[in-house]
Amino acid sequence: MLTEREEAFRVLLLWQKDGSFIKESGLSPFAMELALGVCRRHLYLEYFVKSLTKKLPSLEARVILEMGLFQMFFMDVPDYAAINDSVELAKSANLGESTARLVNAVLRTARRQGEPALPPQRVRRVSVENSVPEWLVRRWFDVYGGDRAEALAKATLERPTEWIRVNLQKTSAPVLAEKIGITGASILYDRFIEIPRDVGVKLLLALPEFVKGEFSFQNPSAYEVVKLLDLKPGLKVWDACAAPGGKTALMAEMDSSLEILASDSSASRLEKMRDLMNRLGLTNIKTEVIDLAPAQDSAESRMATTSRSASNSSFRTPNSELRFDRILLDVPCSNMGVIARRPESVYRMTPESINEVAELQFRILENASTALAPGGRLVYATCSPDPTETTRVIARFVKAHPEFVKVGEPVLPGLKDSRLDGFFAQALEYKK
């Protein structure tokens, strides 16, 4: 087990130093649970370490202490094993005998004293207890009120529900569930199967049914977003921020008569999408590298325009003559609605970065909208519920472009079912 702890230590150290994504590290199941768990509870574990030490140890020692505390208080690992392996980890990492002694003493004190008292002030307490930065908790208090803000913070600690999406062109959900041995699981929209906690995702990836394209991994919130497009047979559809391709594939599986263009600014991400389409056997998708927000030359030109015809001159639509009946715009965002799934994201956010991404979102929306046919529908979606990235972007766009009107109310799947990701989606129609 020391080897697995060494893996987790290496990945956590890289994350702390340069923000590397933990899920992309290829860790073993135990090491992944440990690394993601420490990341998810980092602020609380850091607070715990500070309560046990007079002087904050080195970064390497802090990571080992957080790993040890997480095993002792949040995993099914005996205290003696967590302590002994943490000491051995300090030695194998060549941190010196003094650090090994420090790790041993601090973790034994933690076992004896238990968890520290939390701060009495509510915002600070919610921040520490749920490992959400204090500025973000305060933001949630201001936007949603105290009770909902606290519930949002608690939800970031939950292990997210995993789902598979059944390719209905090849099989059905009940038949696939029986074939792969997860009968009795929840099925949504006749195509999404909830993966039981005791079924490993890696095991499912190795199944012949996956290789043959009978299923993919996707949260059902994607279906709630795609439904807003009101797809009809034979329509021309542009998925304008398509990679990694889950929603593109969902639309193609739903109706093989759709003419779908999937674009992204990254050629390498599109190449992975083509592998996905080949596995699923989807033939009604074309791909193209398109940058919806190319770099601009001056601060003045970075200001968003207020005219469809005056949209960023360096942006190129897929075809100047082509207009799409439907456009799906799943824009880059802060990931605030999927913190439980991407725990690293909460430590990257700042108030400034959210404002910056909102400007990017508005530019992308303006540019993509120029390719919509009259009477067509565009769905703007983010995996963040924050008003700066959602309702304010929509309100600004509609004010600047009165030929676009909102269709119905926005969809927020995570509000009605906690198993679904915290997406926001709003449909717009071009009435000119």
Side-chain angles (χ1 to χ4, degrees), residues 158-169:
E158 297 295 325
R159 180 180 170 187
T161 303
E162 302 290 347
W163 298 80
I164 58 177
R165 184 191 75 243
V166 182
N167 185 352
L168 296 186
Q169 293 187 13

Side-chain angles (χ1 to χ4, degrees), residues 129-143:
E129 187 175 23
N130 301 288
S131 288
V132 176
E134 193 169 339
W135 73 265
L136 185 53
V137 173
R138 193 169 298 282
R139 183 186 187 99
W140 288 349
F141 267 67
D142 292 342
V143 173

Side-chain angles (χ1 to χ4, degrees), residues 296 301 303-315 317 323 362-371 396-404 430 432:
Q296 299 176 340
S301 68
M303 296 298 291
T305 60
T306 58
S307 166
R308 275 172 66 82
S309 60
S311 188
N312 178 8
S313 59
S314 60
F315 166 70
T317 58
R323 291 294 179 266
F362 183 76
R363 284 174 55 205
I364 289 174
L365 176 55
E366 285 220 306
N367 285 333
S369 71
T370 64
R396 179 183 172 189
F397 177 77
V398 171
K399 182 178 180 180
H401 302 285
E403 68 273 23
F404 280 84
Y430 179 29
K432 188 171 181 180

Side-chain angles (χ1 to χ4, degrees), residues 92-114:
S92 72
N94 297 315
L95 299 182
E97 191 61 37
S98 61
T99 298
R101 288 197 299 270
L102 172 70
V103 167
N104 182 60
V106 170
L107 294 181
R108 289 185 182 280
T109 301
R111 180 175 64 176
R112 184 172 64 253
Q113 295 182 354

Side-chain angles (χ1 to χ4, degrees), residues 38-345:
V38 169
C39 177
R40 194 171 281 127
R41 294 185 181 269
H42 166 61
L43 294 184
Y44 175 75
L45 294 170
E46 184 178 63
Y47 176 83
F48 203 158
V49 170
K50 287 178 179 178
S51 75
L52 297 165
T53 55
K54 293 180 180 178
K55 180 183 177 183
L56 204 59
S58 68
L59 174 61
E60 291 79 4
R62 294 201 305 271
V63 171
I64 291 175
L65 286 170
E66 289 186 25
M67 289 171 61
L69 292 170
F70 183 77
Q71 292 170 78
M72 292 169 65
F73 292 91
F74 300 103
M75 288 182 77
D76 189 21
V77 175
D79 288 351
Y80 72 86
I83 295 170
N84 291 343
D85 281 335
S86 296
V87 172
E88 290 304 312
L89 179 57
K91 293 177 180 177
S92 72
N94 297 315
L95 299 182
E97 191 61 37
S98 61
T99 298
R101 288 197 299 270
L102 172 70
V103 167
N104 182 60
V106 170
L107 294 181
R108 289 185 182 280
T109 301
R111 180 175 64 176
R112 184 172 64 253
Q113 295 182 354
E115 296 184 61
L118 292 168
Q121 198 274 335
R122 190 180 183 190
V123 170
R124 176 70 177 147
R125 174 184 61 77
V126 171
S127 169
V128 169
E129 187 175 23
N130 301 288
S131 288
V132 176
E134 193 169 339
W135 73 265
L136 185 53
V137 173
R138 193 169 298 282
R139 183 186 187 99
W140 288 349
F141 267 67
D142 292 342
V143 173
Y144 305 114
D147 291 344
R148 188 177 166 208
E150 188 161 359
L152 283 171
K154 288 182 183 299
T156 66
L157 297 177
E158 297 295 325
R159 180 180 170 187
T161 303
E162 302 290 347
W163 298 80
I164 58 177
R165 184 191 75 243
V166 182
N167 185 352
L168 296 186
Q169 293 187 13
K170 296 192 172 188
T171 185
S172 69
V175 168
L176 180 68
E178 185 172 355
K179 283 169 66 177
I180 64 179
I182 54 175
T183 53
S186 175
I187 296 176
L188 287 185
Y189 313 126
D190 296 324
R191 67 172 71 233
F192 292 92
I193 305 173
E194 184 178 354
I195 303 174
R197 295 288 192 196
D198 60 348
V199 176
V201 169
K202 282 193 173 182
L203 293 175
L204 295 175
L205 284 168
L207 293 176
E209 289 79 10
F210 176 78
V211 176
K212 291 187 292 185
E214 294 186 15
F215 69 91
S216 301
F217 295 88
Q218 188 176 50
N219 191 276
S221 59
Y223 186 74
E224 293 277 359
V225 172
V226 167
K227 275 199 306 183
L228 288 183
L229 286 167
D230 188 29
L231 297 171
K232 301 283 196 302
L235 292 182
K236 291 181 174 64
V237 181
W238 181 22
D239 189 350
C241 300
K247 294 182 183 68
T248 309
L250 171 59
M251 291 188 288
E253 290 173 4
M254 288 170 64
D255 189 342
S256 59
S257 75
L258 297 171
E259 296 180 33
I260 302 175
L261 173 67
S263 71
D264 196 83
S265 60
S266 166
S268 61
R269 282 162 63 86
L270 279 182
E271 188 60 39
K272 292 179 181 179
M273 275 191 63
R274 285 188 275 272
D275 293 339
L276 171 69
M277 291 183 291
N278 290 335
R279 182 178 66 81
L280 296 174
L282 303 173
T283 59
N284 57 327
I285 303 170
K286 294 181 180 179
T287 61
E288 185 176 348
V289 177
I290 299 173
D291 189 350
L292 278 162
Q296 299 176 340
D297 296 330
S298 67
E300 186 173 296
S301 68
R302 284 195 295 273
M303 296 298 291
T305 60
T306 58
S307 166
R308 275 172 66 82
S309 60
S311 188
N312 178 8
S313 59
S314 60
F315 166 70
R316 176 183 60 83
T317 58
N319 182 314
S320 59
E321 302 300 321
L322 184 63
R323 291 294 179 266
F324 293 91
D325 305 300
R326 301 288 187 269
I327 296 176
L328 175 60
L329 205 58
D330 186 358
V331 295
C333 68
S334 67
N335 291 315
M336 200 181 294
V338 288
I339 293 173
R341 192 173 302 283
R342 300 170 189 167
E344 304 98 331
S345 63

